[in-house]
């Protein structure tokens, strides 16, 4: 299928061939009929992409702060690779469309194949021929509403949520600053609610349009006409609400809002305009400044948007899905006129040229729609009149390969860790062929194929697992899918590299082991990379063999998670330690040369910090302090190993030392922290090519996973948990 994409580094726009997304449970596949260009948000993104690197940094100081923090924690080279990887990737455009349901996922019963739906979301309602859309981000289109009008649903919801934040009442007067697409919709929604509206915009054409659509008066923000209209309508008191629907870097909108609002009026920010509030003006009137967050309650909540968990209507009357349905109903009943806003309907194949004309100012538009193939003669139908072709996935299997060189690898998942920490090492490794990349979203597969040279990109996992030419499968997806994907790959006879964790529950771990037993395939590696770190391996060698028990202390300064991190989805993705803790358990066990026999854990009340004690067969102990409340500038990982009159010290994979009869101190690494990914991958590829032993025994991988899972049981039980052998 085809999709509009942009390279944020170069600014290049293109219509790209990408795989059709898979139809996951909890959502539907939708074939697009019309999608709407947001002439505000999207053009701002397009313009940013065309800036120099310095310009990009100036426009996004929030992202610059994250980069600086990452440099402090991960080092400059690793941060550079991560940032450049994100910049030099295809990013999608679009978030508002109407289309036809082509396939229904498990658990969906409110729509069927052939239904017309309006869809929302900057990850799910993209300018693409086919999108996968979760339950709470689509609604059926009312009878009688044309598909091109239903494509306004998302921007209509944004305007509607802004109006709700203003709490307008019958007979009030409102000022709308900025009469672009959102502003025009706000004007109509307020007029439909019995509010008298004054609009302001520097463009006289937009002012005339707003007056035709229900505004009492409109004019240039610097003109006396606007102030006179407000004074006449309000008896000199000022407007009850001001809606900021303008963009740009001028502070004029917030200053005008203060001047024309009444005492204790409400100012609602819907757009992305400069907000340097003049303190005296806002204080003296005690103005109520409010923000409108996109489509409404549920936005940015993954449990609502991705998992389909609705909010009770008695507590949250207007969620983003209910806002979407409400706007479509208003449009279907003629209370909102979107036809008058349409400046052009462009064929989807002309997308790049359309964006160019908008960016260069050749096309002056309020709203522009893309029309997809098959819709030219069916714009007014309640559902498409032409038959929808079936979705096709995957490609034919390649012939069996007679030799074991090169090693052919397939990736399931192509997220940030895969593309920044694994694939750069594999793409340049001699004797490795990147055969296939499988993702549930088409664009991530296309990005990985372009950047790393995969032979094919697909959303069909079964086709890849059934391909006899694929030697090994990398599972680099979200944690909740690791165990099931590993189990399926093992049963398919593949050697498997799965990023940590191997499993999130004991049942998942048992399922992986059952697959090993059923298939006889134990060719498994978990991405516990730290034991392969060159600096730590050298320090262990210089420490030498032990004769007595050891004491190990490991401080992990994990830091706080950013809001919205999927690590916070503990209901589906497990606890943060269950997902990450295997790294540290494995490192301790490798240094001590054994697997733990018991686990004890305590946590202070009210936070996520953990103190974990692992006991080993020879009496050695490892104390792991996994903390989130530390200083972000402090090193993430530090450890001390003490035994036999010797001390090994590691400082965040940058410096190491061994103190004993002789003292050894490493020189500071000249480039960056090397946490072992390259050496780990080299060992894995060698094992696949030669058929030799896996880099880490399966017994150790299982013991580490069991110990990590036992932490939660120890916390609940308040006592040490003894670990029985899993094999």
């Amino acid at each position: 299928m085809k999709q509009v994409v942009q390279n944020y580094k170069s600014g290049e726009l293109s219509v790209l061939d990408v795989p059709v997304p898979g139809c996951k449970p909890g959502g539907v596949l939708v074939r697009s009929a019309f999608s709407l260009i947001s002439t505000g948000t999207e053009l701002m993104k397009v313009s940013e992409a065309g800036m120099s690197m310095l310009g990009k940094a100036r426009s996004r100081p929030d992202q610059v702060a994250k980069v600086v923090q990452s440099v402090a924690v991960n080092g400059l080279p690793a941060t550079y690779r991560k940032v450049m990887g994100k910049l030099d990737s295809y990013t999608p455009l679009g978030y508002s469309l109407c289309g036809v349901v082509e396939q229904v996922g498990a658990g969906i019963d409110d729509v069927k194949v052939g239904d017309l739906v309006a869809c929302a979301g900057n990850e799910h309602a993209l300018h693409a021929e086919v999108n996968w859309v979760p339950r709470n981000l689509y609604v059926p289109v009312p009878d009688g509403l044309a598909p091109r009008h239903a494509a306004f649903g998302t921007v209509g919801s944004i305007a509607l949520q802004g109006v709700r934040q203003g709490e307008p009442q019958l007979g009030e007067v409102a000022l709308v600053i900025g009469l672009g697409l959102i502003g025009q919709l706000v004007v109509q929604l307020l007029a439909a609610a019995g509010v008298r509206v004054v609009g302001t915009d520097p463009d006289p054409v937009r002012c005339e349009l707003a007056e035709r659509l229900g505004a009492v008066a409109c004019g240039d923000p610097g003109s006396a006409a606007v102030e006179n209209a407000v004074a006449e309508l309000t008896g000199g008191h000022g407007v009850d609400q001001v809606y900021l629907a303008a963009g740009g870097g001028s502070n004029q909108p917030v200053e005008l809002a203060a001047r024309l609002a009444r005492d204790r009026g409400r100012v609602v920010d819907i757009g992305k305009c400069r907000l340097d509030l003049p303190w005296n003006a806002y204080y003296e009137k005690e103005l109520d400044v409010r923000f409108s967050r996109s489509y409404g309650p549920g936005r940015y909540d993954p449990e609502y948007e991705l998992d389909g968990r609705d909010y009770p209507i008695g507590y949250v009357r207007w969620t983003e899905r209910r806002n979407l349905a409400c706007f479509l109903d208003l449009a279907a009943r003629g209370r909102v006129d979107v036809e008058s806003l349409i400046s052009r309907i462009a064929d989807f194949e002309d997308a790049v040229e359309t964006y160019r004309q908008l960016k260069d100012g050749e096309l002056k538009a309020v709203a522009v729609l893309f029309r997809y193939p098959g819709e030219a003669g069916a714009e007014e139908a309640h559902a498409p009149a032409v038959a929808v072709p079936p979705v096709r996935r995957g490609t034919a299997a390649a012939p069996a390969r007679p030799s074991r060189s090169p090693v052919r690898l397939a990736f399931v998942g192509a997220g940030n860790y895969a593309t920044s920490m694994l694939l750069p090492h594999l793409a340049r490794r001699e004797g490795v062929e990147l055969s296939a990349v499988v993702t549930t979203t088409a664009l991530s597969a296309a990005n990985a194929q372009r950047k790393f040279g995969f032979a094919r990109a697909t959303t069909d996992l079964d086709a890849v697992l059934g391909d006899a030419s694929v030697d090994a499968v990398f599972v680099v997806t979200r944690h909740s899918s690791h165990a099931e994907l590993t189990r399926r790959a093992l049963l398919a006879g593949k050697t498997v590299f799965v990023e940590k964790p191997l499993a999130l529950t004991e049942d998942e771990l048992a399922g992986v082991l059952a697959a090993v037993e059923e298939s006889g395939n134990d060719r498994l590696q978990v991405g516990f990379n730290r034991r392969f770190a060159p600096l730590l391996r050298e320090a262990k060698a210089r420490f030498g063999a032990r004769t007595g028990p050891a004491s190990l202390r490991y401080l992990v300064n994990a830091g706080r998670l950013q809001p919205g991190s999927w690590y916070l989805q503990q209901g589906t993705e497990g606890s943060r330690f269950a997902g990450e803790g295997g790294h540290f358990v494995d490192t301790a066990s490798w240094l001590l040369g054994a697997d733990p026999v018991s686990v004890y854990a305590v946590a202070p009340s009210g936070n996520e910090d953990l103190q974990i004690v692992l006991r080993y067969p020879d009496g050695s102990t490892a104390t792991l302090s996994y903390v989130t409340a530390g200083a972000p500038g402090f090193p993430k990982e530090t450890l001390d190993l003490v035994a036999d009159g010797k001390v090994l010290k590691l400082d965040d994979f940058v410096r190491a030392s061994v103190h004993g009869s002789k003292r050894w101190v490493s020189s500071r690494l000249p480039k960056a922290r090397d946490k072992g990914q390259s050496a780990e991958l080299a060992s894995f590829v060698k094992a696949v090519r030669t058929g030799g032993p896996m880099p880490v025994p399966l017994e150790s991988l299982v013991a580490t996973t069991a110990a990590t899972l036992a932490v939660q049981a120890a916390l609940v039980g308040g006592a040490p948990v003894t670990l029985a052998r899993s094999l």
Side-chain angles (χ1 to χ4, degrees):
M1 72 168 192
K2 296 186 181 297
Q3 178 173 351
V4 177
V5 299
Q6 181 176 41
N7 184 300
Y8 193 71
K9 180 180 178 181
S10 66
E12 176 195 3
L13 277 164
S14 60
V15 178
L16 192 70
D17 283 309
V18 299
V20 173
C23 188
K24 296 179 286 186
V28 296
L29 278 185
V30 177
R31 183 167 290 276
S32 301
F34 293 89
S35 61
L36 177 70
I37 297 179
S38 170
T39 49
T41 303
E42 287 187 58
L43 287 188
M44 181 171 58
K45 183 177 179 181
V46 169
S47 298
E48 280 184 4
M51 296 177 180
S52 65
M53 294 300 293
L54 180 59
K56 290 182 174 73
R58 286 173 173 169
S59 68
R60 294 300 304 273
D62 56 326
Q63 296 299 322
V64 173
K66 291 181 180 179
V67 170
V68 172
Q69 180 61 45
S70 180
V71 170
V73 174
N74 300 312
L76 181 59
T79 300
Y80 178 82
R81 288 196 303 270
K82 181 178 179 180
V83 172
M84 288 299 104
K86 285 189 173 182
L87 286 176
D88 191 18
S89 297
Y90 292 127
T91 59
L93 293 171
Y95 60 83
S96 187
L97 67 80
C98 174
V100 180
V101 175
E102 191 164 83
Q103 189 174 344
V104 176
I108 297 298
D109 56 11
D110 59 342
V111 293
K112 62 184 183 301
V113 173
D115 284 352
L116 192 66
V117 293
C119 308
N122 61 354
E123 295 179 354
H124 305 289
L126 308 172
H127 297 310
E129 290 182 314
V130 180
N131 286 278
W132 179 81
V133 188
R135 178 195 299 272
N136 281 337
L137 292 178
Y138 69 80
V139 297
V141 174
D143 290 341
L145 184 61
R148 68 174 184 272
H149 296 163
F152 281 78
T154 307
V155 291
S157 298
I158 293 172
L160 183 56
Q161 176 63 16
V163 170
R164 294 195 194 284
Q165 289 295 91
E167 299 183 37
Q169 297 185 37
L170 193 67
E172 289 187 326
V173 179
L175 173 67
V176 178
I177 301 178
L179 297 175
L181 178 55
I182 297 295
Q184 297 287 348
L185 292 170
V186 170
V187 166
Q188 294 190 65
L189 291 168
L190 289 169
V195 175
R196 291 172 293 171
V197 184
V198 177
T200 179
D201 193 284
D203 187 342
V205 174
R206 292 184 173 185
C207 288
E208 292 173 6
L209 176 60
E211 289 182 349
R212 291 202 308 270
L213 294 175
V216 176
C218 293
D220 186 278
S223 69
V226 172
E227 294 195 26
N228 292 338
V230 168
E232 181 179 347
L233 289 170
T234 66
H237 295 296
V239 298
D240 300 283
Q241 307 120 42
V242 179
Y243 296 88
L244 301 175
S250 171
N251 206 49
Q252 185 186 39
V254 296
E255 295 171 2
L256 181 63
R259 190 163 69 250
L260 298 186
R262 67 166 168 80
D263 186 66
R264 294 174 176 80
R266 297 180 291 281
V267 179
V268 181
D269 178 40
I270 305 175
K272 188 178 180 181
C273 67
R274 186 176 175 183
L275 288 176
D276 291 340
L277 302 182
W279 188 87
N280 282 339
Y282 276 73
Y283 171 81
E284 288 172 0
K285 288 188 176 180
E286 200 174 345
L287 295 178
D288 183 355
V289 180
R290 303 180 179 184
F291 290 85
S292 179
R293 188 170 65 182
S294 200
Y295 328 146
R299 188 71 180 112
Y300 309 115
D301 178 356
E303 291 190 2
Y304 178 89
E305 292 192 329
L306 299 180
D307 298 341
R309 184 174 300 177
D310 198 5
Y311 300 153
I313 194 169
Y315 292 89
V316 184
R317 177 61 182 91
W318 292 109
T319 61
E320 58 181 321
R321 192 184 199 213
R322 291 193 271 267
N323 272 339
L324 182 57
C326 177
F327 180 81
L328 294 180
D329 175 70
L330 290 169
R333 292 189 290 116
R335 304 303 300 273
V336 176
D337 175 12
V338 296
E339 180 67 28
S340 298
L341 304 179
I342 299 174
S343 304
R344 176 181 294 183
I345 298 178
D347 288 335
F348 182 57
E349 62 187 21
D350 297 328
V352 173
E353 175 62 16
T354 302
Y355 275 111
R356 186 197 66 76
Q357 292 178 5
L358 285 168
K359 180 184 176 183
D360 294 347
E362 294 178 22
L363 174 58
K364 303 290 186 181
V366 175
V368 175
L369 291 162
F370 288 137
R371 175 176 49 215
Y372 290 77
E375 292 303 319
E379 296 179 11
E380 298 299 336
H382 302 321
V386 297
V388 180
V391 177
R392 303 185 186 279
R393 299 181 179 80
T395 59
R401 189 170 43 82
S403 66
R404 300 194 64 82
S405 183
V407 173
R408 290 182 174 175
L409 306 178
F411 264 65
V412 183
N416 183 60
Y417 188 82
T419 55
S420 65
M421 304 306 296
L422 299 180
L423 284 168
H425 297 295
L426 292 168
R428 59 174 179 259
R429 188 174 298 279
E430 186 176 355
V432 168
E433 180 180 314
L434 298 178
S435 178
V437 57
V438 186
T439 64
T440 56
T441 57
L443 197 54
S444 59
N447 272 320
Q449 183 180 33
R450 179 184 69 90
K451 293 172 65 176
F452 300 107
F454 281 97
R456 57 181 167 138
T458 180
T459 58
D460 191 344
L461 175 61
D462 289 335
V464 171
L465 294 181
D467 186 346
S469 71
V470 172
D471 297 308
V473 172
F474 279 70
V475 176
V476 200
T477 53
R478 287 200 177 185
H479 296 168
S480 57
S481 61
H482 283 189
E484 175 60 17
L485 291 172
T486 299
R487 187 188 69 81
R488 291 177 60 184
L490 289 170
L491 290 174
K494 306 300 183 187
T495 303
V496 181
F497 182 108
V498 57
E499 249 314 306
K500 53 80 193 163
L502 174 59
L504 289 175
T505 66
E506 293 179 4
D507 287 343
E508 288 184 353
L509 180 57
V512 172
L513 295 178
V516 171
E517 182 177 2
E518 178 182 342
S519 64
N521 179 13
D522 63 354
R523 308 285 289 168
L524 176 64
Q525 170 67 17
V526 181
F528 298 142
N529 51 275
R530 283 154 174 79
R531 64 163 67 203
F532 296 92
L535 185 62
L536 189 55
R537 294 180 76 88
E538 182 179 2
K540 182 182 179 182
R542 290 183 179 273
F543 188 89
R546 288 189 294 111
T547 59
S551 174
L552 185 148
R553 299 183 303 168
Y554 201 149
L555 172 62
V556 181
N557 182 36
R560 299 198 181 279
L561 293 173
Q562 293 291 327
S565 169
W566 59 267
Y567 264 112
L568 297 171
Q569 301 174 35
Q570 296 193 14
T572 56
E573 301 299 334
S575 71
R576 188 178 179 187
F577 187 81
E580 187 177 38
H583 271 320
F584 318 119
V585 175
D586 177 76
T587 304
S589 298
W590 174 72
L591 283 170
L592 296 174
D595 296 324
V597 295
S598 73
V599 177
Y600 177 66
V602 294
S605 177
N607 70 39
E608 299 174 316
D609 293 358
L610 298 173
Q611 301 297 324
I612 301 161
V613 179
L614 305 172
R615 187 169 60 84
Y616 290 82
D618 66 350
S620 296
T621 60
T623 302
L624 306 181
S625 297
Y626 185 83
V627 298
T628 62
F634 189 79
K636 182 180 179 181
E637 299 177 45
T638 53
L639 68 81
D640 303 294
L641 172 65
V642 181
D644 302 339
K646 297 179 288 185
V647 177
L648 180 157
K649 182 176 178 63
L650 176 74
D651 184 7
D652 209 24
F653 300 91
V654 173
R655 190 184 295 274
S657 60
V658 175
H659 302 258
S661 57
K662 295 182 178 180
R663 182 170 179 249
W664 168 79
V665 179
S666 70
S667 60
R668 187 175 182 88
L669 290 182
K671 293 184 178 180
R673 300 169 179 83
D674 185 344
K675 295 186 180 181
Q677 285 92 350
S678 181
E680 175 190 33
L681 293 171
S683 297
F684 178 76
V685 170
K686 180 181 178 181
V688 177
R689 176 181 294 114
T690 64
M694 298 303 293
V696 181
L698 180 60
E699 291 82 358
S700 177
L701 300 177
V702 173
T704 293
T705 303
T708 306
L709 297 176
V711 168
Q712 184 61 36
L715 288 171
V716 173
V721 174
T722 300
L723 298 174
R725 290 192 61 82
S726 299
L727 292 175

